[in-house]
Amino acid sequence: MEKYNDGGCCHHVTFIDQDGHRKTSTVPVVQELARQGLTQLPERFIRAPSKKNPIDDDSHSSGVSPKALPVINVAKLRAKWSDPEGRAEELAKLASGVRDWGLCLITEHGISSCVLHGVKDVVKSFFGLSFEEKKQTVGSYGKIDNMGYGRNFVKSEDQPLDWIDRLTMKAAPVGGDEGLNVWPQKPENFRQVTERYVLEARKVLDELLQALAEALSLERNVFVKYFDPTNSEINVRVNYYPPCPRPDLAQGITPHSDASALTLLMQFDATGGLQVLRDQKWLTLPWPTDALLVNVGDFLEIMSNGRLKSPWHRVVTQMEVERFSVALFYNPPSWTEIVPEPVDDSAGQDGGGGFRKVVVGDYLKHFYEISPTEDKQAIMYARV
């Protein structure tokens, strides 16, 4: 086993062990390991493949045809009066695509390239800092939605670790991060640039919630009504995947579904890392860097009463390239009770049903307590 030196660059994590005891441990900082040019993978990152989660097995993973994944032109969804026929076609494509995949790519969304490039610049500037500078500029809060700079979902000292460094901030509601040092102070415009992106992205997410309801032949506001403009939550998570010496032994992110209603993702510098489980095979998504990706989360599966399903997905590592992604997790306020939309088989709304009312905060507590899991278990909490 190749030796590595963490140089004192470690994240501190706290967890409750199997005996109910609170323990604190340290985990290596992946970016610092990658900077050493390792040719072997440190033991803590080696993941044994399983039937449910093969790491690098050609019999279980393959690519997706670029034509198979739905690409939605948001500008057409907005053309209610100028191009009603084109809009109807786009709604039909949205319905079939998201029902089939649980996600879609979006183009012509109206978020300016200046805003998107600004996010890329501040993210790369932050991860260009030394570990010491990062720790000085932002805190880490494992108990509070894993906010700040650090690790998430570490539950034991012998748990295989993901090959990722991450940064998480609460962008909404206003004051939701009061008293927490979760926004980097370097670069100085990090928060300003990110919040501008969130402001524009939120409008797109609200439009998509309305369009999805309409596409499913539901009343237009049945989903967006849960999103109070003042109190709804948006968490921003920046994911950094350095080059990995052994992609066949490690994962970028463990398989999971999202504890959100919708997740909006942008990526830069590389593509090819995101995979979705479909028909018991892991499929690599054709996601060009100039498109945004919209992912159905568990809450939208519950709201839609199973008409839409949150996809089980993961991120694989790559040997020669580094990759960044920025995810916005959009949720109703924590005290909101979600009531699943009734399923009316006589109206042709098949494929749904079986969910009960849930309170957002209760579901999130359950989700974080049991994650990570081998398969999609958290959603069973909302099942009848």
Side-chain angles (χ1 to χ4, degrees):
M1 182 66 64
E2 183 178 16
K3 299 292 184 180
Y4 68 92
N5 177 18
D6 62 29
C9 299
C10 293
H11 295 301
H12 295 271
V13 296
T14 302
F15 56 89
I16 306 299
D17 67 15
Q18 293 181 339
D19 298 322
H21 299 134
R22 188 176 191 83
K23 299 194 70 173
T24 299
S25 181
T26 59
V27 297
V29 178
V30 173
Q31 185 176 17
E32 299 305 311
L33 297 180
R35 284 172 171 169
Q36 297 179 31
L38 301 178
T39 59
Q40 297 297 321
L41 193 69
E43 188 173 1
R44 291 199 68 179
F45 295 89
I46 295 176
R47 186 178 301 271
S50 66
K51 290 183 179 179
K52 293 182 178 178
N53 185 27
I55 303 298
D56 185 20
D57 183 342
D58 289 340
S59 68
H60 290 86
S61 61
S62 60
V64 178
S65 166
K67 295 182 179 180
L69 200 63
V71 181
I72 304 302
N73 186 319
V74 179
K76 289 186 178 181
L77 296 178
R78 294 172 177 147
K80 186 173 183 178
W81 306 112
S82 60
D83 185 12
E85 291 186 4
R87 182 175 185 272
E89 291 176 2
E90 209 67 13
L91 283 171
K93 185 165 66 170
L94 177 66
S96 62
V98 177
R99 267 182 162 162
D100 202 23
W101 287 93
L103 50 80
C104 66
L105 297 170
I106 61 170
T107 60
E108 301 295 321
H109 40 69
I111 303 175
S112 70
S113 59
C114 176
V115 170
L116 297 175
H117 284 301
V119 174
K120 174 181 177 179
D121 289 344
V122 296
V123 165
K124 295 198 72 173
S125 292
F126 175 78
F127 279 96
L129 299 173
S130 68
F131 176 72
E132 292 75 15
E133 287 178 295
K134 292 192 194 77
K135 295 299 288 183
Q136 289 171 4
T137 187
V138 63
S140 181
Y141 305 89
K143 293 182 183 178
I144 309 172
D145 292 345
N146 291 293
M147 291 286 119
Y149 172 56
R151 301 287 307 201
N152 59 317
F153 296 132
V154 177
K155 299 293 182 71
S156 71
E157 291 182 321
D158 57 359
Q159 171 187 336
L161 299 174
D162 293 339
W163 191 258
I164 182 177
D165 278 338
R166 64 113 182 108
L167 174 69
T168 308
M169 297 77 64
K170 187 176 290 294
V174 174
D177 60 353
E178 186 174 353
L180 303 178
N181 177 29
V182 297
W183 288 93
Q185 303 302 307
K186 292 182 180 181
E188 293 181 355
N189 61 337
F190 189 104
R191 182 167 188 168
Q192 177 186 5
V193 168
T194 305
E195 287 185 334
R196 182 182 176 190
Y197 169 55
V198 170
L199 183 65
E200 295 196 21
R202 184 176 194 151
K203 298 173 185 176
V204 177
L205 289 168
D206 284 340
E207 288 180 297
L208 288 171
L209 286 168
Q210 291 177 311
L212 282 165
E214 192 174 348
L216 296 175
S217 301
L218 300 172
E219 196 277 321
R220 183 172 171 79
N221 293 319
V222 293
F223 300 147
V224 79
K225 69 183 179 183
Y226 292 107
F227 294 83
D228 180 299
T230 303
N231 296 303
S232 294
E233 298 187 359
I234 299 180
N235 284 351
V236 182
R237 179 169 295 162
V238 180
N239 303 307
Y240 172 57
Y241 308 97
C244 178
R246 292 294 302 271
D248 57 323
L249 297 177
Q251 284 189 346
I253 294 183
T254 302
H256 64 287
S257 61
D258 287 351
S260 65
L262 284 179
T263 304
L264 181 67
L265 293 113
M266 63 180 291
Q267 66 173 351
F268 41 90
D269 277 14
T271 186
L274 182 62
Q275 294 187 335
V276 170
L277 187 65
R278 184 177 168 90
D279 299 327
Q280 302 307 308
K281 289 186 177 181
W282 285 106
L283 304 180
T284 299
L285 297 182
W287 177 10
T289 54
D290 60 349
L292 301 180
L293 188 141
V294 179
N295 194 70
V296 171
D298 288 359
F299 287 121
L300 191 54
E301 179 169 342
I302 298 166
M303 290 176 192
S304 70
N305 210 345
R307 294 174 177 88
L308 302 176
K309 293 178 172 57
S310 57
W312 193 243
H313 57 287
R314 70 180 187 180
V315 175
V316 294
T317 59
Q318 300 177 78
M319 181 178 290
E320 302 295 339
V321 297
E322 64 179 6
R323 177 173 169 267
F324 296 85
S325 68
V326 179
L328 305 186
F329 299 93
Y330 194 27
N331 277 338
S334 61
W335 57 81
T336 303
E337 183 181 65
I338 293 175
V339 182
E341 284 298 305
V343 173
D344 182 4
D345 290 331
S346 66
Q349 297 170 351
D350 58 343
F355 285 91
R356 64 177 180 87
K357 301 176 184 178
V358 295
V359 175
V360 170
D362 293 343
Y363 184 85
L364 288 173
K365 183 174 183 292
H366 167 75
F367 183 95
Y368 287 113
E369 281 179 349
I370 72 168
S371 296
T373 55
E374 274 282 298
D375 49 23
K376 192 176 170 182
Q377 295 178 21
I379 197 72
M380 301 308 295
Y381 176 88
R383 283 287 189 178
V384 174

